[in-house]
Amino acid sequence: MPIQVSGVRRFAQALASTGALAAAFLLFPPIAHAAPKGTLVFCSEGSPAGFDPGQHTTSTDFDASTDTIYNELVQFRNGTLDLEPGLATSWDSSPDQRVYTFHLRRGVKFQTTAWFHPTRDFDADDVLFTFNRMLDAQQPFRKAYPTSFPYFSDLGFDKNIAQIDKLDDYTVRFTLKTPDVIFVRNLAMSFASILSAEYAAQLSAAHREADINQLPVGTGPFVFRSYQKDALIRYDANPDYWRPQDVKLAHLIFSINPDPAVRIQKLASGECQVSVFPRPADLDVVKRNPSLRLVSGVGFNVGFVAYNTQHPPLDRVDVRRALDMAIDKPAIIQAVFAGNAKIASNPMPPSQWSYNPSLKDAPFDPAKARALLAQAGFSQGFEITLWAMPVQRPYNPNAQLMAQLIQQDWAKIGVRAKIVSYEWGEYNRRAKQGGEHDALLYGWSGDNGDPDNWLGALLGCDAVHGSNVSKWCDPAFNKLIDKARADADVQQRTALYEQAQVIFKQQVPFTPIAHSIVSLPVSDRVQGLVFSPLGSHRFDGVSLQ
């Protein structure tokens, strides 16, 4: 029979009253945790654009910041899509899904670094600072350091959060303008990592607000120490982490190299113990090496080519349909993924609830595509740019090769595509903010397990200046997404999302290419590393044998 907390408290009081409190430590000894030990080197694919999760949207940024340095109010249990308490121990909502109240964890300490020594524990002021700087353009810190928060606005939080109130030091209330049934799940995403208000005040006093993106401070399992762009990021175990049992490594190093061949060589030689995004050909190398193994799973992702619907002639649906049916997807699956992927036809993977299985791709038909272009007035074709990522992603192991194959396919219908690329951080910035591209290779790994994360964040009107790289805003589609966000009934939400996918398929803002199978090569010395359906790489709970 479990001992009730009240019973334990009365027992301790009785021991104290008889002068026998010391005996309690024999009956209830403190839980001992092994000291962190060892250094794990993670061969990562690219340099993060910064370490403030609110400012960024890629897994490269989130791996280096969120899952390492920070915590959110609500978190996903490692390896699952299940919510668990984070910096909030519990939460509740009003019946109309417009008011959410979070009860905060006590005794959580912010990290001590060379640039910040906290004088107080985490409390409601940190929650208010974290979200108000994204919500209010006139917030003093935000005003001194003007920047954008793409994911916050992609979700419509900038429009829908009416106010955030501190009810006491450990209770915070969010009031929304319209109901949002996935609000809590969205707060478990990386952009909602909690920052220190005290640290922000220190930066403001020194007029160094931009340091929050370069010299991070959080409450997470590892403390940031140093960063050399395109080379190394160094972290140490957080001695004050509120979940000490999850910190098993003394040191963590990100060794950055965009070349997958170099990463796999470093893994084989023991220079790193985990390597990200292998080429399909590297999988056999790993399988043949007895000191290595693969941590694998079906990717919760989609890779696609987006059409900038604000650029003529891609603003015309008949042109987009022609480009779509000219792409030989089976050839791409074999050449780029070596068969380790499934052909995609929808903007979300089949494992996502509300996926519409009735939707089918238009048949691959270059002749029909050319005829469609001629009917649209482009019998001689046209010229466009086709942007290709410079790094491997979970949804695309070789974007340069994919771009070349699509370039060849489009050439057959008279469309002359010039392949363009930039450094990964610049690629993202230009794609989301500048919108200079015509067509662009991109993709998505699900962040929260909800259909809105695909349809709203990738295709909604709120995300046109962010993750909606197609710059597509369809009123009928958006109305369905907004209605689904406000409805708690799963069956009704499913029907709405299925209708939205029909509109997507009719309008073709992007061509889905593949849902990849994701593999993570690791040393057999690595213990506790689990496959994440969210595409993240977490090292809390990981140790070296």
Side-chain angles (χ1 to χ4, degrees), residues 417-436:
K418 177 184 177 183
I419 298 175
V420 176
S421 191
Y422 296 94
E423 181 272 330
W424 181 226
E426 186 69 8
Y427 187 95
N428 269 290
R429 187 191 68 79
R430 287 172 177 259
K432 293 175 181 178
Q433 298 178 18
E436 308 163 41

Side-chain angles (χ1 to χ4, degrees), residues 391-473:
V391 296
Q392 294 74 41
R393 308 306 299 151
Y395 45 75
N396 192 335
N398 193 336
Q400 295 294 320
L401 176 57
M402 185 183 290
Q404 291 167 14
L405 294 172
I406 293 174
Q407 181 187 52
Q408 294 168 15
D409 287 340
W410 285 349
K412 296 172 183 176
I413 64 170
V415 175
R416 300 168 294 282
K418 177 184 177 183
I419 298 175
V420 176
S421 191
Y422 296 94
E423 181 272 330
W424 181 226
E426 186 69 8
Y427 187 95
N428 269 290
R429 187 191 68 79
R430 287 172 177 259
K432 293 175 181 178
Q433 298 178 18
E436 308 163 41
H437 59 281
D438 293 322
L440 173 137
L441 290 183
Y442 211 65
W444 198 255
S445 293
D447 286 307
N448 67 7
D450 193 273
D452 183 81
N453 188 240
W454 307 91
L455 303 181
L458 280 181
L459 295 161
C461 295
D462 288 331
V464 162
H465 300 293
S467 298
N468 182 347
V469 292
S470 298
K471 312 302 177 187
W472 179 70
C473 176

Side-chain angles (χ1 to χ4, degrees), residues 487-502:
D487 197 329
D489 186 285
V490 172
Q491 288 187 336
Q492 293 183 33
R493 291 186 74 204
T494 296
L496 293 167
Y497 289 134
E498 288 180 345
Q499 293 174 49
Q501 289 168 77
V502 171

Side-chain angles (χ1 to χ4, degrees), residues 190-409:
S190 295
F191 80 94
S193 298
I194 302 300
L195 279 63
S196 165
E198 184 184 14
Y199 179 45
Q202 174 184 302
L203 293 177
S204 289
H207 304 292
R208 296 181 60 89
E209 288 86 357
D211 281 359
I212 206 163
N213 194 36
Q214 301 301 323
L215 297 172
V217 171
T219 59
F222 295 95
V223 182
F224 173 88
R225 293 304 186 203
S226 63
Y227 172 42
Q228 295 172 268
K229 188 174 181 180
D230 300 327
L232 292 173
I233 314 173
R234 295 182 180 274
Y235 310 86
D236 290 336
N238 180 3
D240 299 317
Y241 191 44
W242 54 276
R243 293 177 64 165
Q245 71 274 15
D246 287 345
V247 184
K248 300 181 179 182
L249 297 168
H251 309 286
L252 175 63
I253 296 173
F254 280 32
S255 176
I256 302 167
N257 197 303
D259 188 337
V262 172
R263 293 198 302 270
I264 209 71
Q265 289 170 6
K266 286 187 173 184
L267 181 71
S269 67
E271 293 180 63
C272 64
Q273 290 74 49
V274 181
S275 180
V276 74
F277 307 145
R279 299 168 302 180
D282 294 330
L283 300 181
D284 286 336
V285 174
V286 175
K287 291 173 183 176
R288 291 195 302 265
N289 190 325
S291 65
L292 304 178
R293 72 179 194 277
L294 291 172
V295 177
S296 303
V298 178
F300 197 52
N301 61 43
V302 62
F304 56 83
V305 54
Y307 308 114
N308 189 334
T309 59
Q310 296 182 4
H311 281 196
L314 303 179
D315 57 340
R316 297 181 54 169
V317 67
D318 47 359
V319 170
R320 299 197 298 270
R321 287 175 180 165
L323 294 174
D324 176 83
M325 68 176 62
I327 296 175
D328 188 350
K329 292 185 184 181
I332 290 175
I333 296 297
Q334 288 305 315
V336 176
F337 297 89
N340 292 297
K342 295 181 178 180
I343 291 176
S345 57
N346 288 22
M348 60 172 70
S351 55
Q352 174 64 69
W353 65 267
S354 82
Y355 178 89
N356 190 337
S358 68
L359 299 180
K360 307 298 179 184
D361 271 347
F364 170 59
D365 192 337
K368 187 175 179 180
R370 181 181 280 277
L372 194 58
L373 284 184
Q375 291 174 15
F378 298 99
S379 58
Q380 302 303 312
F382 52 85
E383 295 182 358
I384 58 173
T385 58
L386 172 59
W387 288 25
M389 297 164 289
V391 296
Q392 294 74 41
R393 308 306 299 151
Y395 45 75
N396 192 335
N398 193 336
Q400 295 294 320
L401 176 57
M402 185 183 290
Q404 291 167 14
L405 294 172
I406 293 174
Q407 181 187 52
Q408 294 168 15
D409 287 340

Side-chain angles (χ1 to χ4, degrees), residues 118-138:
T119 64
R120 64 166 179 80
D121 289 349
F122 157 77
D123 65 19
D125 290 333
D126 303 304
V127 179
L128 263 63
F129 166 73
T130 296
F131 290 100
N132 278 330
R133 74 190 181 112
M134 295 190 277
L135 181 64
D136 182 6
Q138 300 305 311

